[in-house]
Amino acid sequence: MELEDRLITAIRSAARVRVAYVCYSGGVDSTVVLAASVRAGLETIALLGVSPSLAASERADAHRIAAEIGTRVKEVETNEMELAAYRANAGDRCYYCKSALYDTVLALAATRNSEEVIFVGTQIDDLGEHRPGLQAAMERGVVAPLVDAGFKKQDVRSLARSWNLSNADKPAAPCLASRIPVGVAVTPQRLSQIEAVEEFLRHHDIWPARARWHDSVVRIEVAPEMFERVTSEPLRDELRRACRKVGFRFVALDLGGLQTGSVSLPLVTS
């Protein structure tokens, strides 16, 4: 098919070596790159960056999906929490996060005797967004075969469906740090609070969802069709207790529904 041919060609053009490292998250974009690399005949290693900003559920899901493809996953501990610029969360957090990941991958690749290529799942629709992590990739020569093949998000999902990938329609799952407002420090404790609330929601089939951190307030974002369920007993009281258990005093349901980038705004403006 045309989409498959375009992507396989892009991968083979970029990979003049036998080994491909795929920076892999379990999302549909990186999964398609992973599957395409295998289909292109490369020795393919999925590298999953592990840190406090990766939810345990996403970590487990990434392993499950890679197993479906028949690819081994190598977990790499990344050290972005050690970087003051990352913790400061000044709007360019992703640059330092991705820099830590790619530097770890490059160091790993350097231990081998052969040359490798490093692939990421960036696609064309990502290029028009504020993504400081893309700069980190370009600085390190990381290859984005989906961009080279001219893939938009709809193309990625279309190819994933044709390959029967189980996450073809998986919603976007940004890292836990994306729930903390710009200008507020990222800490392991805050990430843990966010993960606990989101895990509760996921366990009760309220998903996708976001637990936005605002000090003593957790702002819950879910699709409008889930509003009634979230606010009905006994789930409402169970959710309130789960939030208080991890340190939130107040729970707010955002009537705007599930939004992208809403955490970049403060809860209250003067």
Side-chain angles (χ1 to χ4, degrees):
M1 70 183 288
E2 181 192 2
L3 288 176
E4 178 174 347
D5 291 343
R6 280 163 50 193
L7 184 54
I8 297 296
T9 298
I11 282 179
R12 286 177 174 161
S13 296
R16 304 186 185 280
V17 292
R18 294 183 56 83
V19 181
Y21 284 126
V22 178
C23 295
Y24 170 69
S25 66
V28 64
D29 296 335
S30 62
T31 300
V32 165
V33 172
L34 184 66
S37 182
V38 172
R39 288 170 180 254
L42 299 178
E43 178 186 344
T44 302
I45 303 170
L47 294 178
L48 178 64
V50 177
S51 75
S53 67
L54 176 67
S57 293
E58 292 297 326
R59 184 177 181 177
D61 204 39
H63 279 274
R64 177 188 62 78
I65 294 165
E68 293 176 358
I69 299 172
T71 308
R72 63 191 176 100
V73 175
K74 181 176 180 59
E75 293 190 346
V76 292
E77 297 283 344
T78 56
N79 63 354
E80 64 268 24
M81 287 299 300
E82 299 176 9
L83 303 175
Y86 172 84
R87 297 193 305 272
N89 195 23
D92 54 358
R93 181 194 69 247
C94 289
Y95 173 82
Y96 297 101
C97 176
K98 294 302 184 184
S99 293
L101 172 62
Y102 300 145
D103 287 345
T104 300
V105 174
L106 288 168
L108 177 63
T111 65
R112 298 176 60 105
N113 294 325
S114 60
E115 294 183 359
E116 293 87 13
V117 64
I118 299 173
F119 288 139
V120 291
T122 304
Q123 38 83 17
I124 285 179
D125 289 337
D126 294 331
L127 302 181
E129 301 178 3
H130 175 64
R131 296 207 174 194
L134 297 180
Q135 180 183 345
M138 290 187 293
E139 289 174 355
R140 290 160 178 80
V142 175
V143 178
L146 294 172
V147 173
D148 294 340
F151 271 50
K152 294 184 177 181
K153 190 72 172 190
Q154 63 184 19
D155 300 317
V156 175
R157 293 199 185 278
S158 177
L159 186 55
R161 294 186 194 104
S162 72
W163 285 349
N164 296 315
L165 299 179
S166 65
N167 64 345
D169 297 304
K170 181 179 179 179
C175 75
L176 296 172
S178 67
R179 321 305 196 250
I180 300 176
V182 170
V184 176
V186 176
T187 68
Q189 179 185 5
R190 290 167 182 171
L191 296 175
S192 178
Q193 286 180 287
I194 293 163
E195 181 175 9
V197 175
E198 292 193 358
E199 186 58 31
F200 174 91
L201 294 166
R202 191 193 297 261
H203 179 73
H204 288 82
D205 294 324
I206 307 295
W207 200 257
R210 299 286 183 268
R212 308 291 191 184
W213 191 95
H214 296 283
D215 198 2
S216 62
V217 179
V218 57
R219 176 166 55 89
I220 305 293
E221 293 181 5
V222 298
E225 56 268 26
M226 295 182 180
F227 285 178
E228 183 175 359
R229 187 173 173 208
V230 171
T231 56
S232 298
E233 299 295 358
L235 187 60
R236 183 183 70 165
D237 187 58
E238 292 174 0
L239 173 58
R240 181 180 60 82
R241 285 189 281 112
C243 294
R244 287 191 171 183
K245 183 178 179 180
V246 297
F248 292 111
R249 293 183 60 195
F250 306 102
V251 184
L253 176 63
D254 193 321
L255 297 182
L258 194 63
Q259 305 163 67
T260 299
S262 67
V263 81
S264 63
L265 301 175
L267 187 62
V268 178
T269 57
S270 59

